[in-house]
């Protein structure tokens, strides 16, 4: 469904009402503070960079306090202003988000806020390049104090690097998991969430672990405002491509680098939440599910898709091979995946033939196959669940209307449930 102009206007009004009514009380208010002398009007044209609207939604992942946005480079966006009001009327290209309480600071680089605890470590060069601008911010302590302590039970560096490389290898236009994002996956999104396009219109939706962000972007075409969050640097290219994938709805699409185990959003922020193929890659599926669930408003719909426990004849060899491959240097492993992809394809087709089935791998390119193989063999964590285990995960957390919504076309590998908070 292509929403009309007036529908989107109504949608934003709903969001504003929702914010006034409930979660909005918890959402920190925006403080956009251009530094004197560094407001830059004549920048190169970028497609819809980060909006102040996203800052309204964000909070410090460490202490939950609000963030103040110090803009180093921004420009007005008259179209955003007309469509959604002031929160959409400025585009922040580069800046710093400073916690109002705990002394952490998070960079906005290439239009994307990086609200992860280890931002200072991951973006050390950026902090050093921007040192003069940062030290000009009144009341902000020394940059060296902005180092967040990284807890390995919540943050895995290999996952971050592995998925960053995986999405760097992926080319926009490739299929994702052998499906097209802009039609098949977008249509399936409604079945997954068990919502109609009309029910999504005007809602605020989180896609946690959004990967390449293509599905995330396509969902804005239902009239929803969508936030894509990912631990990896995939969000940078997702942001670059968002106009192309979301069209005129790109104003209602936001990307943030964030960790679902330490989310940069206050509780009860989103109307609905979606996460596919993500939580089993974190150090603890249960704990990441808990923090994911805090973010949705009471009554909101959640969809979670996890890896399914495989038959032993596949599951055991897979675990043995992974024990070795998930320790290999990332680029070496990607090279191996690319090299063996044709052989793997042949094996998959043979097994499919023996089963009397067809396989989507038939229609895929070598790069798409290599990305998919790497996705299986590289990540450190890969927990698997049976449908009854997943049902228990949902029911033990008091979710209502819990149902198995696994698609037939992925039931061999995945298990997916929807429920209401
Ligand atoms: C298999 S991909 C799935 C991507 C996307 N949801 C999809 O369905 O195409 C898993 C994604 O989860 C992200 N991820 C892993 N751990 C995460 C975490 N702790 N917080 C946020 N994202 C995470 C990875 O960076 C990766 O992009």
């Amino acid at each position: 469904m292509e929403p009309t102009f007036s529908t989107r206007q109504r949608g934003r009004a709903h969001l504003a009402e929702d914010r006034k009514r409930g979660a909005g009380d918890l959402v920190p208010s925006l403080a956009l503070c251009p530094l004197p002398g560094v407001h830059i009007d004549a920048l190169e044209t970028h497609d819809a960079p980060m909006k102040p609207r996203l800052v309204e939604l964000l909070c410090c992942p460490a202490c939950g306090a609000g963030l103040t946005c110090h803009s180093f480079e921004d420009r007005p966006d008259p179209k955003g202003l007309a469509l959604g009001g002031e929160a959409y009327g400025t585009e922040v290209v580069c800046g710093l988000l400073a916690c109002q309480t705990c002394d952490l600071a998070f960079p906005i680089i290439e239009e994307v806020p990086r609200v992860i605890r280890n931002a200072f470590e991951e973006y050390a060069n950026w902090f050093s390049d921007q040192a003069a601008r940062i030290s000009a911010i009144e009341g902000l302590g020394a940059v060296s104090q902005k180092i967040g302590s990284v807890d390995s039970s919540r943050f895995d560096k290999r996952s971050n690097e592995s998925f960053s490389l995986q999405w760097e290898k992926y080319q926009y236009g490739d299929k994702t998991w052998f499906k097209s994002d802009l039609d098949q996956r977008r249509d399936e999104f409604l079945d997954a969430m068990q919502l109609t396009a009309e029910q999504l219109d005007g809602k605020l939706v989180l896609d946690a672990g959004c990967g390449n962000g293509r599905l995330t972007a396509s969902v804005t075409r239902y009239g929803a405002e969508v936030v894509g969050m990912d631990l990896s640097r995939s969000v940078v290219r997702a942001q670059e491509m968002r106009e192309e994938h979301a069209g005129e709805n790109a104003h209602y699409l936001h990307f943030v680098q964030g960790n679902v185990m330490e989310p940069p959003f206050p509780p009860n922020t989103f109307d609905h939440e979606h996460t596919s193929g993500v939580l089993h890659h974190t150090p603890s599926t249960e704990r990441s599910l808990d923090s994911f669930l805090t973010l949705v408003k009471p009554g909101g719909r959640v969809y979670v898709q996890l890896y399914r426990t495989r038959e032993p004849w596949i599951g055991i060899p897979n675990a043995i091979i992974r024990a070795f491959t998930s320790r290999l240097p990332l680029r070496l492993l990607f090279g191996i995946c690319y090299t063996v992809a044709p052989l793997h394809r042949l094996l998959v087709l043979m097994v499919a033939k023996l089963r009397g089935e067809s396989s989507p791998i038939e229609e895929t390119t070598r790069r798409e196959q290599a990305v998919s193989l790497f996705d299986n063999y590289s990540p450190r964590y890969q927990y698997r669940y049976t449908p009854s285990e997943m049902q228990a995960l949902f029911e033990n957390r008091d979710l209502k209307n819990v149902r198995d919504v696994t698609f037939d076309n992925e039931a061999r590998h995945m298990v997916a449930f929807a429920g209401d908070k």
Side-chain angles (χ1 to χ4, degrees), residues 38-75:
V38 294
H39 181 103
I40 299 171
D41 284 319
L43 293 169
E44 281 173 35
T45 305
H46 293 259
D47 289 336
M50 189 197 107
K51 302 282 180 199
R53 162 68 171 150
L54 180 54
V55 186
E56 284 184 357
L57 300 175
L58 290 169
C59 71
C60 173
C63 73
L67 300 174
T68 300
C69 178
H70 300 276
S71 171
F72 299 164
E73 295 178 16
D74 61 65
R75 63 169 181 270

Side-chain angles (χ1 to χ4, degrees), residues 80-100:
L81 185 68
L83 283 173
E86 267 183 32
Y88 301 83
T90 310
E91 296 174 336
V92 182
V93 178
C94 173
L96 192 75
L97 293 164
C99 177
Q100 290 159 7

Side-chain angles (χ1 to χ4, degrees), residues 217-236:
S218 70
V219 172
T220 60
R221 293 185 185 249
Y222 294 128
E225 178 164 24
V226 190
V227 178
M229 172 178 78
D230 202 280
L231 183 65
S232 76
R233 293 183 293 281
S234 65
V235 280
V236 178

Side-chain angles (χ1 to χ4, degrees), residues 163 167 176-177 185 209 211 230-232 258-260 276-278 282 375:
F163 285 111
W167 296 122
T176 310
W177 323 127
R185 290 194 85 202
D230 202 280
L231 183 65
S232 76
N259 182 351
V260 72
S276 60
V278 178
T282 65
D375 182 81

Side-chain angles (χ1 to χ4, degrees), residues 26 30 250 317 331 348:
L26 298 166
L30 168 76
R331 287 185 188 274
V348 171

